[in-house]
Amino acid sequence: MRTSITRLQNLKFRGWLMVLLLAGVALTSCDKYPLDDEEPDWLGASIYDYLKTDGRFSNYLRLADDLEYVEVLSKTGSNTLFVATDSAFNEFYKNNPWGVRRYEDLTPAQKSLILNFGMINNAYLVDMLADYNNNGLREGAAMRRQTAVTVLDTIPYNSGDQLPKTKYWDYYRTNGMYILKDNTPLTLMYFTEPHMVQNLISNHDFNIITGLTRNENDAHLFGIKIIRKDITCKNGYLNILEKVMIPPVNMAEYVSTNSNTSIFAEVLNRFCAPYYDSENTIAYRQINTSFSDSIFVKRYFARIGGINRYPAGQAVPTDMLLPFDPGWNSYIRIAQGNALQSDMAAMFVPTNDAMNEYINSGAGAVLKDRFKSWDSIPNDILPLFIKRHMRTSFIESVPSRFATMVDEDNSVLPVKEADIVKAYIGTNGVIFETNKVYPPDDYISVYGPVLLSANDATDDNKTKIWKWAITQNDFRLYLNSLVSTYSFFVPTDEYFKNYIDPVSIGKDVISGLRSFYNTRTNAVNAAIHQYFPESNSFGDSIGVITAEPFLRNRMLDMLNSHVVVGSVESGREFYITKGNVALKVSGSNNDLKIEGGGNISMNETINTTRAYSQSNGKTYFIDRPIQAPQQSVYKVLSETPQFSAFFALLSGFPADSKSVVFVSKSNFFGIDYNVKFFNTFNYTVYVPTNDAINDAINKGLIKPWDTEGAIVGINDLTDETERQAEIVKLERFVRYHFQDNSVFVDKVAQNKVFQSATIKLNDVNTHFNTFKNKYYKLGVSSNGGDLVLTTEQNKTARLVKTDNLYNIMTRDYVFNNRPSSFKNADGTGSGAEYSTSTILTSSTAVIHQIDAVLTFE
């Protein structure tokens, strides 16, 4: 039967090695005194002689004798030693984690741990332990030091049933293995007055963490009080402890071996694996020639102190890395130049009862509904949960700071003192056992159903594509905002097809994208199918796009069109998405139906397959993507006969005029022509009837571009000054028909004032009291089935509903180049590859026909 190995064979060698080391480090001792032929009168005996003379330290003297440390503790050197009296040992033998009942029961390894864990290889006064050098002296900043213990003092052997239950450990499950829980030095943690004052750690914090009462100037190692400090000896300082001190385990080992946290431990240990430790294997074989086995070390997949490659060599995805390795004995907070001495980590670990209560009720029920048990939750969902409970700074996690704690996403971590069941101070941090779970915002936000459904067992609910899109575009934090309310629409994987790519609308081959998740590359690809508008149908696949920039860009455009700030079940019919795309909505919950402008053009309605109520809104799984409008303002106005008179005014501006309305130029490439003054927002365009435009011309309110009978057109004016004045006048006239914010003929009444696109240039009083150099306004009112517009002249215009020319949705895109500069999606034609096209931005507008022109003066 295998057992853990000790280093009894090497103790004599190590004792002589310590003599040499201490002789060297003595030169850097905090106490500077001459080591010549005479010793100062104030200098006491050696540490060993003091212990021997005192008469209360027979156990420690036996340790020194058995480990051959007598000479080390007798010689001049530089040590800080923490010891316990025989009476403390007697109490220790009554109850201790090792199960020893007398000195004779201690193994050589245990003896070595007691002696060396209480030894720092330098001389420090207790209060000076709080100071350290790191690019200059840092007073009151230290709370940890490395001890004289080495990782080879004991090599634990774990049988197969003691190993984590993941595939990385299966190979060793039959025979077990020698496994170090970490291969970095153990550290000593202490509470001293200078450090606590400097870092605003209160006595109440200390009480919650240790269960002890602390007085001013008390000093403790972990939770053990130093009852006598700074006994000066010729080879260092001696401090007497209230209890026997044995090394605590690191945070990961405490969680893994604590029966009250076994559920969290199994979750945590999915992210660790054994790695061969060649250096310590060779070193141990040299000092123990009979040892022929291999030594491994347990490592966690983590950003700080951990490992980022699986045992087989593949890179661990960044979203599968924990914030830090909880088993790292020599934990260093990698922030602002911190050193080992300055801080340690902390973890809030729910008890088994808390974990069970969470998954069986309340916010965790969605996990139970989806996966049935903690064991069945997929690995890629768990890092968010674990990291929510991991803290990179103990100092920033003491009870007095609970109220201000936020996680790395800047989301509040709602821990209260009443949540703390127990605290354990490990060698690299503090474990707070809690009676509550602190789920990540990802689980409870509108993003939650996407995250939790990415690996759904049934094909009809998978959301791998949308999860990839959210991750690639850093959209997660937006969806996780718990101060906002969202309606989030999610086409599940099987319905992610027939999405008309906007760039292709302006080309010979109009392309529908059918996205799919490539499990080999763990990325989204898109098959291309030609769309035939005449028959509203799609052909066979004509190619596949794998270019990540293209797919990320299109997915971001889709994401912005699939989220509405606020509820879409408020009784209205039209809502504006984050990307300014208008949606027509009816029904509620699982019966909600949605149409975007493109869906309306294609005569299709989107159905909700399932609705989830989340903490910051609702998530709707839908059976096809929302299609944004596939027509520009220019296209609608130019192709609608009832809009022809207004379009003639808009399109007549000289191409070189500053007053031009429609443009297609560098940095402004769209499907065809874009409205010049649109700027990534949503707008309303009011189009007077042809008769209303002609009436305005006949009354002399505006001039046409070309001469009409007795009315001289702008183009025929011979006086250039007059001509330019009429161009500006016409521009200001038509721009007053463009309004910021999309207003729809909706089912609900409304009465608001909006800003137009025409600037007021004088101080003449108007109906809405608009100031000079501000935009003229329009009043819009509705009883739920019409629109009435009120102008700055207090005149009105009404909606014309005869030909259903209202609520017409449009979108003006801006691409990185003209669509004609790219090949078709199937590779035909000339130009750059289609996959290099990019949607830069867009603006949307809704168009209504009205019965009169709008005037402001």
Side-chain angles (χ1 to χ4, degrees):
M1 178 179 174
R2 287 170 149 176
T3 58
S4 298
I5 300 173
T6 66
R7 296 181 58 238
L8 181 61
Q9 302 97 316
N10 190 44
L11 290 175
K12 183 174 183 179
F13 164 79
R14 185 172 176 214
W16 284 106
L17 178 62
M18 286 297 298
V19 174
L20 297 175
L21 288 173
L22 295 174
V25 299
L27 298 175
T28 62
S29 171
C30 294
D31 294 279
K32 301 182 182 298
Y33 51 83
L35 301 177
D36 297 325
D37 296 333
E38 296 184 8
E39 296 175 344
D41 295 337
W42 52 265
L43 191 63
S46 70
I47 292 173
Y48 183 84
D49 290 340
Y50 179 91
L51 294 173
K52 188 173 183 180
T53 301
D54 184 276
R56 295 178 298 158
F57 298 99
S58 62
N59 282 273
Y60 253 94
L61 294 172
R62 291 182 70 179
L63 290 175
D65 288 339
D66 290 350
L67 300 176
E68 301 187 8
Y69 264 67
V70 174
E71 190 166 0
V72 173
L73 298 179
S74 300
K75 296 289 184 180
T76 300
S78 184
N79 296 287
T80 303
L81 196 66
F82 299 92
V83 300
T85 63
D86 290 336
S87 60
F89 267 93
N90 290 335
E91 293 301 314
F92 172 75
Y93 294 141
K94 294 177 183 178
N95 182 26
N96 60 79
W98 292 342
V100 298
R101 294 293 174 260
R102 54 180 183 166
Y103 181 87
E104 290 75 16
D105 293 338
L106 290 169
T107 67
Q110 291 168 343
K111 294 175 183 178
S112 180
L113 287 173
I114 293 174
L115 181 64
N116 288 304
F117 192 66
M119 182 185 296
I120 299 175
N121 292 329
N122 213 329
Y124 297 96
L125 294 169
V126 168
D127 282 352
M128 296 297 288
L129 286 171
D131 302 338
Y132 76 100
N133 279 288
N134 185 20
N135 297 320
L137 180 64
R138 300 195 177 190
E139 297 185 52
M143 61 183 298
R144 295 166 70 209
R145 300 275 173 180
Q146 288 187 350
T147 67
V149 173
T150 74
V151 296
L152 296 182
D153 277 337
T154 181
I155 307 296
Y157 169 79
N158 282 176
S159 59
D161 59 348
Q162 295 175 302
L163 301 177
K165 300 173 183 177
T166 67
K167 63 181 181 180
Y168 308 114
W169 302 83
D170 286 346
Y171 179 81
Y172 310 97
R173 206 167 302 283
T174 301
N175 297 320
M177 63 193 308
Y178 292 101
I179 181 78
L180 295 170
K181 302 310 185 290
D182 187 58
N183 57 4
T184 60
L186 293 177
T187 59
L188 197 66
M189 182 271 174
Y190 39 83
F191 293 97
T192 61
E193 187 77 13
H195 180 266
M196 293 179 67
V197 170
Q198 174 77 14
N199 291 279
L200 304 179
I201 299 175
S202 68
N203 286 342
H204 180 67
D205 292 332
F206 176 83
N207 173 256
I208 296 296
I209 294 166
T210 65
L212 304 174
T213 300
R214 182 184 178 278
N215 298 314
E216 186 177 359
N217 292 318
D218 280 354
H220 293 76
L221 302 185
F222 301 98
I224 301 175
K225 186 177 181 179
I226 302 175
I227 57 177
R228 185 176 177 188
K229 300 184 288 187
D230 306 329
I231 301 170
T232 305
C233 299
K234 68 173 61 177
N235 55 346
Y237 293 112
L238 187 64
N239 301 276
I240 301 175
L241 300 176
E242 189 174 35
K243 297 179 180 179
V244 174
M245 181 176 66
I246 62 175
V249 295
N250 59 49
M251 291 189 295
E253 187 64 4
Y254 176 79
V255 174
S256 298
T257 57
N258 179 11
S259 60
N260 290 327
T261 58
S262 59
I263 296 177
F264 190 90
E266 290 193 6
V267 172
L268 179 68
N269 284 332
R270 293 202 208 179
F271 300 89
C272 69
Y275 292 83
Y276 175 61
D277 188 338
S278 60
E279 182 177 346
N280 280 313
T281 297
I282 294 171
Y284 201 81
R285 286 175 179 174
Q286 289 176 342
I287 57 178
N288 295 276
T289 55
S290 62
F291 180 76
S292 60
D293 216 319
S294 296
I295 297 173
F296 291 79
V297 62
K298 182 181 184 182
R299 301 286 302 277
Y300 284 82
F301 314 138
R303 296 196 301 269
I304 301 176
I307 195 162
N308 59 10
R309 289 196 172 275
Y310 293 117
Q314 313 98 312
V316 179
T318 54
D319 60 353
M320 296 294 285
L321 295 172
L322 303 181
F324 57 85
D325 184 339
W328 184 21
N329 293 333
S330 297
Y331 173 85
I332 299 175
R333 185 187 178 202
I334 309 297
Q336 303 174 345
N338 288 340
L340 176 145
Q341 296 95 323
S342 65
D343 206 347
M344 58 185 183
M347 291 179 68
F348 294 94
V349 179
T351 62
N352 292 341
D353 287 344
M355 294 285 280
N356 285 326
E357 181 180 356
Y358 171 73
I359 201 171
N360 288 315
S361 63
V366 65
L367 294 176
K368 180 71 173 288
D369 177 55
R370 187 78 61 183
F371 306 113
K372 308 307 178 187
S373 68
W374 286 106
D375 290 342
S376 302
I377 298 175
N379 283 357
D380 63 345
I381 291 172
L382 292 172
L384 294 169
F385 177 85
I386 298 171
K387 77 175 184 179
R388 176 81 162 156
H389 295 80
M390 299 180 74
R391 304 279 296 166
T392 59
S393 170
F394 161 73
I395 292 173
E396 294 177 5
S397 307
V398 295
S400 59
R401 291 183 171 91
F402 282 177
T404 59
M405 286 194 306
V406 295
D407 63 20
E408 63 180 40
D409 292 332
N410 208 36
S411 178
V412 172
L413 190 63
V415 181
K416 295 180 173 56
E417 282 189 17
D419 300 349
I420 307 302
V421 175
K422 180 181 178 182
Y424 176 83
I425 308 173
T427 186
N428 59 345
V430 171
I431 294 290
F432 293 100
E433 291 184 41
T434 65
N435 58 21
K436 289 185 180 177
V437 167
Y438 309 101
D441 293 345
D442 306 74
Y443 287 9
I444 61 177
S445 74
V446 291
Y447 172 54
V450 176
L451 172 69
L452 301 180
S453 300
N455 292 308
D456 199 288
T458 58
D459 290 338
D460 59 347
N461 276 325
K462 284 187 178 177
T463 54
K464 280 183 176 291
I465 296 173
W466 222 215
K467 180 176 181 255
W468 183 90
I470 291 166
T471 302
Q472 291 296 312
N473 287 290
D474 295 325
F475 214 75
R476 178 181 141 261
L477 294 184
Y478 176 82
L479 297 173
N480 280 349
S481 173
L482 300 184
V483 299
S484 301
T485 300
Y486 300 115
S487 298
F488 186 40
F489 299 98
V490 180
T492 50
D493 290 358
E494 69 164 330
Y495 296 120
F496 235 109
K497 56 189 176 182
N498 299 345
Y499 182 78
I500 305 299
D501 188 60
V503 175
S504 73
I505 296 171
K507 299 189 63 60
D508 296 334
V509 178
I510 301 178
S511 305
L513 302 181
R514 297 191 180 188
S515 300
F516 62 93
Y517 189 81
N518 188 328
T519 56
R520 184 178 59 83
T521 62
N522 292 321
V524 169
N525 297 161
I528 306 165
H529 296 257
Q530 185 171 357
Y531 174 63
F532 301 99
E534 301 81 8
S535 60
N536 192 24
S537 62
F538 293 84
D540 295 332
S541 175
I542 55 176
V544 175
I545 295 178
T546 60
E548 188 174 294
F550 174 94
L551 294 160
R552 186 169 58 244
N553 174 256
R554 298 310 196 266
M555 287 292 172
L556 177 60
D557 184 64
M558 292 180 69
L559 282 168
N560 286 326
S561 300
H562 282 70
V563 60
V564 173
V565 178
S567 171
V568 295
E569 298 185 25
S570 64
R572 287 161 45 207
E573 191 174 10
F574 293 92
Y575 299 88
I576 303 296
T577 68
K578 181 178 183 291
N580 294 305
V581 172
L583 303 181
K584 185 178 181 181
V585 176
S586 62
S588 62
N589 295 315
N590 292 337
D591 295 321
L592 194 81
K593 298 184 183 300
I594 312 102
E595 294 173 281
N599 302 110
I600 294 172
S601 298
M602 299 170 68
N603 296 313
E604 60 185 23
T605 299
I606 302 167
N607 300 297
T608 298
T609 60
R610 185 165 184 180
Y612 296 90
S613 294
Q614 300 295 107
S615 293
N616 63 343
K618 272 191 173 181
T619 302
Y620 301 89
F621 282 12
I622 55 179
D623 65 357
R624 66 187 68 220
I626 294 170
Q627 303 267 4
Q630 298 160 10
Q631 55 194 1
S632 65
V633 171
Y634 176 88
K635 181 177 177 64
V636 171
L637 296 185
S638 65
E639 295 182 355
T640 306
Q642 294 91 328
F643 297 161
S644 60
F646 188 64
F647 176 72
L649 298 179
L650 295 174
S651 59
F653 290 95
D656 59 350
S657 170
K658 293 182 180 179
S659 301
V660 69
V661 175
F662 293 118
V663 295
S664 178
K665 62 179 184 178
S666 178
N667 298 325
F668 221 94
F669 302 118
I671 294 174
D672 37 44
Y673 293 92
N674 290 336
V675 176
K676 176 184 177 181
F677 45 82
F678 280 2
N679 187 23
T680 315
F681 195 57
N682 57 88
Y683 303 88
T684 304
V685 182
Y686 299 107
V687 182
T689 62
N690 293 340
D691 288 344
I693 294 292
N694 291 330
D695 186 57
I697 292 173
N698 291 330
K699 289 179 178 179
L701 295 178
I702 54 174
K703 285 185 177 293
W705 290 107
D706 298 317
T707 300
E708 298 178 4
I711 302 174
V712 180
I714 295 174
N715 291 332
D716 295 320
L717 293 174
T718 57
D719 186 309
E720 184 60 23
T721 301
E722 181 186 4
R723 178 174 173 272
Q724 291 299 326
E726 289 294 339
I727 290 175
V728 171
K729 180 181 178 181
L730 181 58
E731 178 204 6
R732 290 169 58 73
F733 169 81
V734 297
R735 286 179 66 133
Y736 193 53
H737 293 75
F738 289 79
Q739 167 198 296
D740 285 359
N741 301 100
S742 291
V743 175
F744 287 84
V745 181
D746 210 328
K747 294 187 298 184
V748 296
Q750 54 186 316
N751 189 0
K752 294 183 178 180
V753 176
F754 297 96
Q755 183 174 279
S756 76
T758 300
I759 293 179
K760 189 172 186 284
L761 300 177
N762 56 43
D763 293 316
V764 176
N765 190 42
T766 63
H767 178 64
F768 293 111
N769 298 313
T770 302
F771 290 104
K772 182 180 179 180
N773 295 325
K774 300 296 182 181
Y775 286 95
Y776 281 117
K777 298 181 180 68
L778 285 169
V780 182
S781 62
S782 171
N783 62 9
D786 64 356
L787 289 179
V788 178
L789 309 180
T790 303
T791 71
E792 290 278 15
Q793 289 186 309
N794 198 23
K795 294 183 178 180
T796 60
R798 293 181 178 276
L799 182 75
V800 175
K801 301 181 71 173
T802 306
D803 298 316
N804 292 319
L805 295 176
Y806 61 95
N807 288 347
I808 302 171
M809 301 180 191
T810 65
R811 191 180 191 191
D812 282 14
Y813 290 90
V814 179
F815 305 131
N816 61 330
N817 211 331
R818 288 184 177 86
S820 59
S821 68
F822 302 104
K823 295 178 182 178
N824 291 313
D826 62 356
T828 60
S830 61
E833 292 297 325
Y834 186 81
S835 60
T836 63
S837 63
T838 303
I839 301 172
L840 299 179
T841 187
S842 72
S843 297
T844 60
V846 58
I847 300 175
H848 306 294
Q849 183 151 67
I850 54 176
D851 64 359
V853 298
L854 305 175
T855 57
F856 50 85
E857 62 184 9

